[in-house]
């Protein structure tokens, strides 16, 4: 049994002594699963905590041998979508707020977000889950609920687009 | 740019982002999570009620109404006539209860959630209240009658003009649409003074339907009565009434095909001058507690209920229940307002006919 599965078995016994290791092993996957949808660093970090709490709350549902990165990515993605949909319903006030000139505009400094912003939403999610989160296309197809062929097609199209446009970030 | 370089670039840039370390606060919160107990979830029993049992819950309503009619607020050694009255009223009350058709009872496969308030891909986890709504729906018609009828149900006790019966008792219930249902009980009574026991036996009529009913209790204590209403040896309802601390309390057990399907405790009481019915599921799949009251919105009667379900997770909230009549179709609109979550609406077929008493047939679920 590899390290992460050993820790998960400990967590199932409510033994949290290795949780920080687990967190560091998985935080990138959780973060990028979220941020590929909501594109807000601070908000993504907030949602991350909810993702881990949900994971720990339902940890007995995690099947031994499953890919924990895919599992956490799925939780992260679902919670980000829920959050996004809730925000969408606040569009009236959002429009109003956006119409007010902001004195401080937070600039997106991280190159990775600029690179991912070159893609359409589904392209961004699939590239993130495969390249950053190291998930297999078969796992991604389950998460995004699209046929494997569609996922591969979207991925190849996204990579082709990035090969042309991402040169500036080298 | 080569693909290999691009993938390396994405990977490298993603690792440059500083992600805060929340591990300690997550651990702190995780330690507050309740310990999960091992729960064996048994599949819900499915009962296909025969037409003969359609009225079982109607009878329960009648029992309750009967008990309510009696209202033994002043405990006393009663005269024989009073004891008989208790028995009769209890029996009549049982019959006046819920009219529920078998189709209505099978709606739990088809609970329809109106997700108009939600984006369709939002996950909602309200399993417990969704599971319980069907069981609660069985009692809605009973609640209508208990809450909206006159306290004494306008009962009249007379000598029976039917051969074989000594007494005739009639009473009337009223539902949310202000429609009245009439009940007639023909019965005989026997007393055993040595054993301090009375026994009542008879038939109760609701429209074209007739049911056999029996009750017994102590001659000197009409505050405790047991009533048994049976369609056949395998399908019956038992009801126990007691009056304590200004409260009418009922325990109802519904047995179908020799299996105890459900048991509930009901308490009928006045609070701030308003009649309330408290219901607790004590046997069966459901576990919730509910408090029903009548409310008027734009001069239209509706019921409101608060609920509390202590299952795998505690759920609480409110129902707003109104009756919609569209020609022959009469439905309940149940607005479920779970605490801390968005409300949603469920439509349920109402079982009563236009005359208010006989079960509605050919029921079908209408999705919102």
């Amino acid at each position: 049994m590899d390290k992460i599965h050993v820790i998960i078995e400990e967590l199932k016994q409510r033994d949290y002594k290795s949780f920080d290791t687990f967190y560091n092993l998985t935080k990138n996957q959780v973060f990028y699963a979220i941020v590929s949808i909501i594109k807000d660093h601070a908000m993504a970090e907030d949602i991350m905590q909810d993702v881990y709490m949900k994971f720990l709350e339902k940890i007995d549902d995690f099947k031994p041998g499953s890919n924990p990165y895919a599992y956490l990515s799925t939780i992260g993605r679902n919670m980000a979508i829920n959050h996004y949909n809730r925000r969408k319903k606040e569009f009236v006030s959002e429009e109003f707020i956006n119409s007010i000139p902001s004195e401080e505009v937070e600039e997106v400094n991280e190159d990775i977000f600029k690179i991912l912003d070159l893609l359409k939403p589904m392209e961004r999610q699939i590239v993130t889950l495969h390249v950053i989160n190291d998930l297999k296309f078969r796992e991604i197809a389950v998460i995004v609920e699209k046929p494997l062929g569609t996922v591969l097609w979207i991925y190849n199209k996204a990579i082709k687009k990035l090969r042309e446009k991402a040169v500036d970030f080298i | 740019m080569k693909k290999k370089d691009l993938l390396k670039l994405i990977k490298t840039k993603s690792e440059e982002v500083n992600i805060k370390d929340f591990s300690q606060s997550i651990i702190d919160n995780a330690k507050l999570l309740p310990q999960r107990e091992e729960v064996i979830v048994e599949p819900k029993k499915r009962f296909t009620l025969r037409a003969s049992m359609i009225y079982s819950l109607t009878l329960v309503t009648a029992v309750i109404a009967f008990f309510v009619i009696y209202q033994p607020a002043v405990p006393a050694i009663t005269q024989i006539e009073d004891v008989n009255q208790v028995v009769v009223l209890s029996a009549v009350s049982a019959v006046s209860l819920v009219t529920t058709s078998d189709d209505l009872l099978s709606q739990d496969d088809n609970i329809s959630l109106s997700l108009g308030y939600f984006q369709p891909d939002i996950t909602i986890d309200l399993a417990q209240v969704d599971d319980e709504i069907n069981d609660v729906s069985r009692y809605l018609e009973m609640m209508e009658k208990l809450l909206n009828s006159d306290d004494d149900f306008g009962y009249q006790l007379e000598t029976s003009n039917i051969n074989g019966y000594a007494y005739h008792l009639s009473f009337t219930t009223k539902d949310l649409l202000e429609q009245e249902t009439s009940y007639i009980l023909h019965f005989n009574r026997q007393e055993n003074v040595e054993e301090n026991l009375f026994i009542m036996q008879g038939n109760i009529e609701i429209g074209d339907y007739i049911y056999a009913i029996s009750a017994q209790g102590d001659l000197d204590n009409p505050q405790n009565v047991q009533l048994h209403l049976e369609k056949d040896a395998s399908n019956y309802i038992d009801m126990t009434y007691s009056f304590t601390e200004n409260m009418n309390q009922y325990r109802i057990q519904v047995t179908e095909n020799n299996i105890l399907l459900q048991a509930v405790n009901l308490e009928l009481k006045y609070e701030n001058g308003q009649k309330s019915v408290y219901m607790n599921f004590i046997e069966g799949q459901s576990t919730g507690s509910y408090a029903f009251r009548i409310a008027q919105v734009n001069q239209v009667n509706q019921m409101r209920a608060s609920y509390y379900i202590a299952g795998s997770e505690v759920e609480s909230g409110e129902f707003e229940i109104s009756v919609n009549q569209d020609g022959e179709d009469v439905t309940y609109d149940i607005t479920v307002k779970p605490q801390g979550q968005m409300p949603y609406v469920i439509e349920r077929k109402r079982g009563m006919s236009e005359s208010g008493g006989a079960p509605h047939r050919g029921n079908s679920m209408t999705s919102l």
Side-chain angles (χ1 to χ4, degrees), chain B residues 234-247:
Chain B
S234 304
N235 299 281
Y236 51 87
I237 291 175
D238 288 307
M239 196 162 172
T240 304
Y241 164 78
S242 61
F243 181 82
T244 52
E245 297 176 354
N246 294 322
M247 254 189 312

mmCIF file of all heavy atoms in Angstrom, chain B residues 234-247:
data_model
loop_
_atom_site.group_PDB
_atom_site.id
_atom_site.type_symbol
_atom_site.label_atom_id
_atom_site.label_comp_id
_atom_site.label_asym_id
_atom_site.label_seq_id
_atom_site.Cartn_x
_atom_site.Cartn_y
_atom_site.Cartn_z
ATOM 1 N N SER B 234 -55.451 -9.951 9.309
ATOM 2 C CA SER B 234 -54.063 -9.556 9.038
ATOM 3 C C SER B 234 -53.882 -8.055 8.885
ATOM 4 O O SER B 234 -52.763 -7.562 8.847
ATOM 5 C CB SER B 234 -53.566 -10.233 7.747
ATOM 6 O OG SER B 234 -53.698 -11.617 7.831
ATOM 7 N N ASN B 235 -54.989 -7.347 8.743
ATOM 8 C CA ASN B 235 -54.911 -5.908 8.447
ATOM 9 C C ASN B 235 -55.810 -5.142 9.419
ATOM 10 O O ASN B 235 -57.033 -5.250 9.330
ATOM 11 C CB ASN B 235 -55.343 -5.646 7.006
ATOM 12 C CG ASN B 235 -54.459 -6.342 5.997
ATOM 13 O OD1 ASN B 235 -53.370 -5.877 5.699
ATOM 14 N ND2 ASN B 235 -54.929 -7.468 5.497
ATOM 15 N N TYR B 236 -55.160 -4.385 10.305
ATOM 16 C CA TYR B 236 -55.950 -3.720 11.335
ATOM 17 C C TYR B 236 -55.214 -2.518 11.923
ATOM 18 O O TYR B 236 -54.012 -2.331 11.701
ATOM 19 C CB TYR B 236 -56.307 -4.706 12.457
ATOM 20 C CG TYR B 236 -55.129 -5.475 13.003
ATOM 21 C CD1 TYR B 236 -54.354 -4.963 14.033
ATOM 22 C CD2 TYR B 236 -54.775 -6.711 12.459
ATOM 23 C CE1 TYR B 236 -53.274 -5.667 14.517
ATOM 24 C CE2 TYR B 236 -53.690 -7.419 12.950
ATOM 25 C CZ TYR B 236 -52.947 -6.901 13.979
ATOM 26 O OH TYR B 236 -51.868 -7.590 14.453
ATOM 27 N N ILE B 237 -55.971 -1.760 12.651
ATOM 28 C CA ILE B 237 -55.412 -0.595 13.338
ATOM 29 C C ILE B 237 -55.748 -0.696 14.813
ATOM 30 O O ILE B 237 -56.887 -0.989 15.178
ATOM 31 C CB ILE B 237 -56.003 0.714 12.773
ATOM 32 C CG1 ILE B 237 -55.488 0.939 11.359
ATOM 33 C CG2 ILE B 237 -55.652 1.899 13.657
ATOM 34 C CD1 ILE B 237 -56.114 2.135 10.689
ATOM 35 N N ASP B 238 -54.746 -0.469 15.636
ATOM 36 C CA ASP B 238 -54.964 -0.394 17.074
ATOM 37 C C ASP B 238 -54.686 1.023 17.533
ATOM 38 O O ASP B 238 -53.743 1.669 17.068
ATOM 39 C CB ASP B 238 -54.024 -1.360 17.813
ATOM 40 C CG ASP B 238 -54.437 -2.801 17.618
ATOM 41 O OD1 ASP B 238 -55.615 -3.106 17.872
ATOM 42 O OD2 ASP B 238 -53.598 -3.606 17.177
ATOM 43 N N MET B 239 -55.524 1.438 18.444
ATOM 44 C CA MET B 239 -55.361 2.801 18.905
ATOM 45 C C MET B 239 -55.595 2.852 20.402
ATOM 46 O O MET B 239 -56.538 2.255 20.922
ATOM 47 C CB MET B 239 -56.382 3.681 18.195
ATOM 48 C CG MET B 239 -56.074 5.123 18.295
ATOM 49 S SD MET B 239 -56.969 6.007 17.033
ATOM 50 C CE MET B 239 -56.607 7.653 17.562
ATOM 51 N N THR B 240 -54.729 3.551 21.086
ATOM 52 C CA THR B 240 -54.881 3.710 22.531
ATOM 53 C C THR B 240 -54.991 5.187 22.835
ATOM 54 O O THR B 240 -54.184 5.990 22.364
ATOM 55 C CB THR B 240 -53.666 3.122 23.276
ATOM 56 O OG1 THR B 240 -53.509 1.764 22.887
ATOM 57 C CG2 THR B 240 -53.867 3.205 24.770
ATOM 58 N N TYR B 241 -56.006 5.506 23.595
ATOM 59 C CA TYR B 241 -56.214 6.903 23.954
ATOM 60 C C TYR B 241 -55.993 7.088 25.447
ATOM 61 O O TYR B 241 -56.381 6.241 26.258
ATOM 62 C CB TYR B 241 -57.642 7.326 23.611
ATOM 63 C CG TYR B 241 -58.058 8.609 24.295
ATOM 64 C CD1 TYR B 241 -57.628 9.834 23.811
ATOM 65 C CD2 TYR B 241 -58.845 8.584 25.439
ATOM 66 C CE1 TYR B 241 -57.987 11.008 24.445
ATOM 67 C CE2 TYR B 241 -59.209 9.748 26.082
ATOM 68 C CZ TYR B 241 -58.783 10.963 25.583
ATOM 69 O OH TYR B 241 -59.128 12.113 26.219
ATOM 70 N N SER B 242 -55.380 8.205 25.796
ATOM 71 C CA SER B 242 -55.311 8.565 27.213
ATOM 72 C C SER B 242 -55.373 10.078 27.325
ATOM 73 O O SER B 242 -54.993 10.811 26.389
ATOM 74 C CB SER B 242 -54.019 8.029 27.848
ATOM 75 O OG SER B 242 -52.900 8.594 27.213
ATOM 76 N N PHE B 243 -55.868 10.509 28.443
ATOM 77 C CA PHE B 243 -55.956 11.951 28.671
ATOM 78 C C PHE B 243 -55.119 12.282 29.891
ATOM 79 O O PHE B 243 -55.403 11.825 30.997
ATOM 80 C CB PHE B 243 -57.406 12.375 28.909
ATOM 81 C CG PHE B 243 -57.561 13.855 29.121
ATOM 82 C CD1 PHE B 243 -57.612 14.714 28.037
ATOM 83 C CD2 PHE B 243 -57.623 14.377 30.402
ATOM 84 C CE1 PHE B 243 -57.742 16.084 28.227
ATOM 85 C CE2 PHE B 243 -57.754 15.749 30.593
ATOM 86 C CZ PHE B 243 -57.817 16.602 29.504
ATOM 87 N N THR B 244 -54.056 13.029 29.662
ATOM 88 C CA THR B 244 -53.183 13.393 30.775
ATOM 89 C C THR B 244 -52.737 14.830 30.628
ATOM 90 O O THR B 244 -52.423 15.290 29.528
ATOM 91 C CB THR B 244 -51.911 12.522 30.809
ATOM 92 O OG1 THR B 244 -51.300 12.573 29.521
ATOM 93 C CG2 THR B 244 -52.237 11.086 31.171
ATOM 94 N N GLU B 245 -52.705 15.505 31.735
ATOM 95 C CA GLU B 245 -52.187 16.873 31.799
ATOM 96 C C GLU B 245 -52.754 17.747 30.679
ATOM 97 O O GLU B 245 -52.018 18.404 29.930
ATOM 98 C CB GLU B 245 -50.651 16.853 31.741
ATOM 99 C CG GLU B 245 -50.042 16.131 32.921
ATOM 100 C CD GLU B 245 -48.537 16.033 32.798
ATOM 101 O OE1 GLU B 245 -48.005 16.423 31.751
ATOM 102 O OE2 GLU B 245 -47.918 15.549 33.759
ATOM 103 N N ASN B 246 -54.074 17.745 30.590
ATOM 104 C CA ASN B 246 -54.769 18.578 29.600
ATOM 105 C C ASN B 246 -54.385 18.276 28.165
ATOM 106 O O ASN B 246 -54.431 19.142 27.288
ATOM 107 C CB ASN B 246 -54.532 20.071 29.875
ATOM 108 C CG ASN B 246 -55.155 20.503 31.179
ATOM 109 O OD1 ASN B 246 -56.248 20.037 31.535
ATOM 110 N ND2 ASN B 246 -54.466 21.350 31.907
ATOM 111 N N MET B 247 -53.939 17.075 27.931
ATOM 112 C CA MET B 247 -53.564 16.694 26.579
ATOM 113 C C MET B 247 -54.263 15.404 26.191
ATOM 114 O O MET B 247 -54.345 14.471 26.992
ATOM 115 C CB MET B 247 -52.056 16.471 26.488
ATOM 116 C CG MET B 247 -51.333 17.578 25.773
ATOM 117 S SD MET B 247 -49.632 17.156 25.470
ATOM 118 C CE MET B 247 -49.049 16.538 27.002
#
